[in-house]
Amino acid sequence: MSEFAGRCVIVTGAGRGIGRGVAQAFAAEGAHVVLGARTLSYAAEAREAIVAAGGRAEVCALDAKDHQSCRDLVATAIQVFGRIDVLVHCAAEIAHGGLGAVSDEALEAGIASTAKAAWWLLDAARPHLAAAPQGGRFIVIGSVNGTFVTVPNMTAYGMAKAALDAFVRGAAGDVVRESITVNAINPGLVASDNALRVLGAEGLAAYGATIPVGRAGTPDDIAHACFFFASQKASYCTGSTLKLDGGASVAPRAEGADKVLQERLRAQHGPAPKSV
């Protein structure tokens, strides 16, 4: 039997992409999953897939930019399953763009849904994670951008993800005496719904081919890393960041590897928004 059987796992951003993949992976291991998502129809589809496969899941509306909504997600998990063992924060509403190309509202939304939400979620879940029989696990999904590499035209994205990384290191020390670990997984290119939206199918395939290991990452790759951080095997690991980018930040890449991404990013932006 899996060590995750019967444990309660909250996943934010669970309607699509990485969050959905992580939630379904934990459910397949027997965990009871709470799907926090902004778009409930996507989360409902994810829940249907989990239930059809014999798992247990509950859907909860989540606006990760809102403090009370984060509290409500935690309360729902306790109300339905009576415990919280693992919380995986995948949600993010971050605009792509460099300096002058992102509005104040979009900039704030990115920071709030990413770093502030991590603060709010851990603060709300803290007593429940501390009571988890096998120790509480708080895991965030960051990015290599802003921590290990800098990508042009993604300054706002990198800034928000870097703040998330800083939170992980500080918060890990705050709760280390409470049987709670706090760790981050920082992916590079992942074949998610968001990557497909930005790059298009052909662009995603072309960009993935430039990754040193020869492919883009998958939500399953992220889920496997989450399994490690959520397991007893990682009980000695806290305040850590796992880089998961297929060697993109350390190995030589094909000439023009970023060309596809930069072309797609530039295509998204019209005139620079005005600050208010």
Side-chain angles (χ1 to χ4, degrees):
M1 179 180 292
S2 167
E3 70 173 287
F4 303 121
R7 296 170 74 183
C8 175
V9 179
I10 297 176
V11 182
T12 72
R16 294 192 293 178
I18 291 173
R20 179 170 179 166
V22 168
Q24 290 179 327
F26 271 108
E29 292 293 311
H32 301 159
V33 181
V34 179
L35 308 165
R38 180 178 52 176
T39 305
L40 288 179
S41 59
Y42 295 143
E45 291 172 2
R47 180 184 180 278
E48 288 174 6
I50 289 171
V51 171
R56 290 191 64 188
E58 182 72 22
V59 171
C60 182
L62 171 68
D63 178 358
K65 305 184 302 298
D66 182 76
H67 192 169
Q68 186 58 49
S69 186
C70 291
R71 287 194 187 108
D72 291 344
L73 176 65
V74 169
T76 295
I78 294 300
Q79 180 180 1
V80 175
F81 295 122
R83 60 190 285 178
I84 300 171
D85 299 272
V86 181
L87 200 160
V88 184
H89 177 38
C90 298
E93 298 177 30
I94 310 177
H96 294 149
L99 190 66
V102 176
S103 69
D104 288 352
E105 293 82 4
L107 186 65
E108 172 59 25
I111 294 171
S113 63
T114 306
K116 287 184 178 180
W119 181 295
W120 297 329
L121 289 162
L122 180 54
D123 187 47
R126 184 175 184 174
H128 310 293
L129 290 171
Q134 294 173 292
R137 302 286 186 264
F138 190 85
I139 304 164
V140 304
I141 308 302
S143 172
V144 294
N145 183 27
T147 52
F148 297 102
V149 298
T150 300
V151 179
N153 296 308
M154 293 185 71
T155 308
Y157 183 90
M159 183 172 70
K161 292 295 189 178
L164 185 62
D165 223 44
F167 170 78
V168 164
R169 294 192 299 271
D174 292 339
V175 300
V176 69
R177 300 292 185 185
E178 300 168 35
S179 299
I180 303 170
T181 63
V182 183
N183 293 292
I185 298 165
N186 285 13
L189 176 66
V190 176
S192 64
D193 295 291
N194 187 52
L196 185 62
R197 177 185 62 80
V198 173
L199 294 166
E202 292 183 4
L204 180 58
Y207 193 25
T210 72
I211 302 299
V213 299
R215 65 173 178 87
T218 68
D220 277 347
D221 290 322
I222 311 304
H224 293 153
C226 286
F227 286 165
F228 169 68
F229 278 136
S231 73
Q232 286 296 98
K233 295 179 178 66
S235 62
Y236 195 62
C237 183
T238 193
S240 296
T241 297
L242 174 64
K243 180 171 57 176
L244 207 65
D245 70 347
S249 61
V250 296
R253 298 179 60 192
E255 185 177 350
D258 288 327
K259 182 179 179 181
V260 173
L261 175 61
Q262 291 304 314
E263 288 176 348
R264 299 286 177 167
L265 289 173
R266 283 193 293 270
Q268 291 184 72
H269 300 300
K274 296 180 179 179
S275 297
V276 293

